[in-house]
Amino acid sequence: MMLPSETYFGKFEAVFLFYGAMPTGVTVSETGRIFICFPKWGDDVEFTVAEIVHNTLQPYPSLEANVVSPSNITTSFISVQSVVADGKGTLWVLDTGAPNFSEPIKGGAKLVAVDLNLNAIRSVYTFTDDVVLPTTYLNDVRFDFRVGKAGYAYITDSSSRGPGAIIVVDLETGYAWRRLNGANSTSPDLFFLPKVEGRILMNRNKDGFTSPFRLASDGISISPDGKMLYFCPLSSRHLYSISTEILRNRTIPDMNLQYHVKYWGEKGASDGMITDAKGNVYAGDYENNSIRKILPNGIMETVAHDPRILWPDTFSIGPDQYLYFIVNQLHRQSRFHYGNDLREKPYSLIRMKIDEPPAPTF
């Protein structure tokens, strides 16, 4: 006798399968080039940034840029968590400088601009000690080139043991500062108990020690006009937003920013987020193997639900109007299972048609 079972829906296809290190980030440039990053979390990472060329992974922009030595900490990639193509010829590389979630290496945490025409590093933004703290983990970044002389970047600090925050960077001067530092909206929800594949997700060490899985602000996306920034802690089901103008306004004390944060409700627990040109926000729901769409009016709908969506990580929208996302089984890593690695290769890059281009940055 066949019993009724859960309904799965959403049409998607695999673009690339990964049989080596585990990827976290993906971005698709305005010309359709696809870039991937592999943070150093314990897998054998040959290069932390790659481009998919003729169905193979090539170190990007070169192998040399992916090889770290004490002499080139600021000009080479250490452990990259996020790559973002900005739609106008630049690939931005967000380097945590913190392999295995260590304290960031001095001068190693940085935002790097790579010229996609020259395939060469154009500029490097490093951070002062009051911006990148010993606990900081630079997670994801969004851009707006319509403000300031060279635009602004907004970066999430998804620390697991310090304050979460949004780091604002003036790309003209390189000046950066922390906003919503340790605020409720950038902090883990202490009442949140994540359940993935029907089981509670928590840190479970080899020695038997367990602790809650708590990571601060992670997912981030920006409205098509650049005026609204959406963000969410990884350890939370809540969605928040704030005016970017208010974030940039340093005359408003940080402690007063909480009054300017808008709460959108529960969207599910998400890692990555992205916005399309119509202002719809796409977010993963890693507890429910799903992809959500949040309309500008706040209505939320589920656009895909499938057992193969095992931890949807980073999102990107290509010029082909597909939503691209990494599925990497992050919750099956050994640190959640007493040292037993339960991940099954391949990890995947998936895409689904959404019939909308990405939100513009300029």
Side-chain angles (χ1 to χ4, degrees):
M1 186 176 86
M2 286 289 287
L3 290 171
S5 68
E6 194 165 349
T7 307
Y8 298 114
F9 55 89
K11 232 174 111 181
F12 55 82
E13 60 189 4
V15 178
F16 191 85
L17 302 176
F18 303 86
Y19 290 92
M22 176 178 127
T24 59
V26 59
T27 192
V28 185
S29 79
E30 67 274 19
T31 59
R33 294 169 71 180
I34 301 174
F35 301 92
I36 305 288
C37 63
F38 305 87
K40 292 176 187 165
W41 287 353
D43 288 352
D44 183 19
V45 174
E46 235 181 304
F47 33 83
T48 187
V49 179
E51 181 177 7
I52 299 176
V53 184
H54 304 309
N55 215 33
T56 61
L57 290 167
Q58 305 288 337
Y60 191 83
S62 62
L63 186 57
E64 186 190 22
N66 284 271
V67 177
V68 188
S69 71
S71 63
N72 67 358
I73 288 294
T74 54
T75 54
S76 60
F77 304 144
I78 300 168
S79 178
V80 172
Q81 179 66 29
S82 186
V83 283
V84 177
D86 64 9
K88 46 180 264 171
T90 302
L91 176 73
W92 295 86
V93 175
L94 187 62
D95 191 347
T96 64
N100 285 317
F101 306 101
S102 65
E103 186 173 319
I105 295 163
K106 198 102 174 119
K110 56 192 175 285
L111 179 63
V112 181
V114 183
D115 187 309
L116 287 174
N117 294 315
L118 303 174
N119 298 311
I121 291 174
R122 192 179 65 233
S123 48
V124 178
Y125 297 84
T126 55
F127 302 99
T128 52
D129 291 349
D130 58 337
V131 175
V132 165
L133 313 176
T135 53
T136 290
Y137 192 83
L138 300 177
N139 198 298
D140 210 347
V141 58
R142 294 292 175 263
F143 297 91
D144 183 12
F145 301 105
R146 291 158 290 204
V147 287
K149 284 192 178 154
Y152 277 77
Y154 306 94
I155 302 171
T156 46
D157 179 349
S158 69
S159 176
S160 62
R161 52 189 195 281
I166 292 166
I167 295 167
V168 181
V169 189
D170 179 342
L171 295 171
E172 182 203 0
T173 60
Y175 183 75
W177 63 101
R178 295 174 71 86
R179 295 302 249 162
L180 294 169
N181 185 58
N184 272 349
S185 57
T186 57
S187 301
D189 174 359
L190 299 182
F191 298 103
F192 169 65
L193 193 62
K195 295 171 267 310
V196 192
E197 289 194 82
R199 295 190 171 94
I200 288 169
L201 179 68
M202 61 196 307
N203 301 311
R204 295 180 175 92
N205 298 2
K206 234 180 191 159
D207 60 11
F209 179 80
T210 62
S211 62
F213 172 68
R214 285 192 183 141
L215 282 166
S217 46
D218 182 324
I220 186 172
S221 68
I222 192 165
S223 63
D225 60 7
K227 289 184 174 167
M228 180 87 80
L229 196 73
Y230 300 91
F231 59 98
C232 64
L234 186 66
S235 301
S236 160
R237 298 186 188 101
H238 305 300
L239 177 63
Y240 303 95
S241 72
I242 191 167
S243 148
T244 53
E245 190 185 346
I246 283 167
L247 273 184
R248 295 190 305 271
N249 183 349
R250 296 205 301 282
T251 65
I252 303 172
D254 193 49
M255 59 185 291
N256 293 357
L257 281 194
Q258 59 183 342
Y259 305 115
H260 297 275
V261 171
K262 181 179 175 185
Y263 177 59
W264 288 77
E266 279 207 13
K267 56 153 176 41
S270 314
D271 201 327
M273 295 199 302
I274 199 81
T275 319
D276 70 19
K278 279 214 174 111
N280 301 303
V281 175
Y282 296 83
D285 177 350
Y286 60 73
E287 291 186 290
N288 296 292
N289 310 86
S290 298
I291 308 295
R292 299 241 190 276
K293 178 180 177 181
I294 301 106
L295 280 60
N297 62 6
I299 290 173
M300 302 192 192
E301 52 189 62
T302 305
V303 292
H305 173 54
D306 192 285
R308 293 168 294 184
I309 304 177
L310 284 166
W311 200 283
D313 199 317
T314 307
F315 288 63
S316 181
I317 298 171
D320 53 6
Q321 306 197 348
Y322 275 86
L323 176 71
Y324 288 75
F325 56 97
I326 292 283
V327 170
N328 61 12
Q329 307 167 52
L330 184 146
H331 62 289
R332 292 180 173 182
Q333 290 177 99
S334 60
R335 61 196 178 107
F336 303 120
H337 302 281
Y338 303 112
N340 301 310
D341 185 0
L342 305 182
R343 298 171 300 173
E344 290 174 52
K345 289 177 185 177
Y347 315 112
S348 52
L349 170 60
I350 286 170
R351 71 174 188 176
M352 61 184 292
K353 192 81 169 163
I354 57 170
D355 294 317
E356 288 296 338
T361 57
F362 59 96

